[in-house]
Amino acid sequence: MLALTFLPLLCSAVGTQCDISGAQISLPSNQTALVAPSEGPSFIGVAIGVQNYTCASTGTWTNVGAVAELFDISCLYGTPEFSTIQEIAFNVWKLLPPATPIQEIISFLEPYKASFVLGQHYFVTSPSGTGLSPKWDFTSGILAENPEAFVIAAKVGDIPAPTGSPDVDWLSLDNVEGDLAKQVFRVSTVNGDAPTSCTPGSSPISVKYAATYCEPTVSLRHFHILT
Ligand SMILES: *[C@@H]1O[C@H](CO)[C@@H](O)[C@H](O)[C@H]1NC(C)=O
Ligand SMILES: *[C@@H]1O[C@H](CO)[C@@H](O)[C@H](O)[C@H]1NC(C)=O
């Protein structure tokens, strides 16, 4: 059942790393917070997953992390589907029973070592030792066998999604650790924002989202990832 539901997504995303060295991120022109990289990405992936929130004492939801699976869409760059792949991905993801955790999808796909799975996005203890940092980890995906195929990053730019809430912000992040990418961009987001308010004491929530991740140029190797 899970496999059948995923078929359209996988078929559209399937591909063995097409040349995207000339790919450009399309960013809103009326802002300066996100700066398009001068070099094309090494990876462009569509992610499905959850954004996690806890209820702060002020009665607002605070983002505390995320978990997502990233699929290679490099071969879609330049095709008509490229601009809507995140919506296709989100709609498939939304159809799955609410109780299907993203971790179950990650575990389900893991044994196949499928070339269309780039890797995973999750949070780890920050290299500074305090707080959490986002990580994009391709060591069990497309770059399995390369223990340095990850990036832990820190946010440097943030704009509201041009499509507005409930689509989560578009971000740019810079490498803090790992060889996968020098930067990561989260763009073309679908859903993922928390509701506007909460009752202090409420349980944490996970909100489904999809996004395109783009990882431009790297420290040691020239990998780019579009997330
Ligand atoms: C840019 O334009 C969008 C859409 O018109 C608008 O929602 C947004 O507030 C603008 N951003 C800035 C920084 O002016
Ligand atoms: C986010 O929530 C998911 C369950 O929905 C959980 O598996 C994951 O560990 C959480 N991660 C963080 C950083 O909160």
Side-chain angles (χ1 to χ4, degrees), residues 24-37:
Q24 289 176 344
I25 307 184
S26 178
L27 296 170
S29 54
N30 66 344
Q31 56 83 38
T32 53
L34 304 188
V35 181

Side-chain angles (χ1 to χ4, degrees), residues 52-111:
N52 294 350
Y53 298 90
T54 57
C55 186
S57 54
T58 49
T60 53
W61 292 107
T62 305
N63 188 280
V64 288
V67 186
E69 179 85 326
L70 272 73
F71 300 93
D72 177 25
I73 53 167
S74 56
C75 297
L76 290 183
Y77 186 77
T79 71
E81 301 90 295
F82 186 78
S83 61
T84 52
I85 183 65
Q86 65 285 341
E87 282 151 41
I88 298 170
F90 181 73
N91 286 332
V92 172
W93 177 212
K94 198 173 61 175
L95 278 178
L96 293 180
T100 307
I102 187 64
Q103 195 55 55
E104 193 174 305
I105 290 162
I106 293 169
S107 307
F108 171 82
L109 289 169
E110 206 276 328

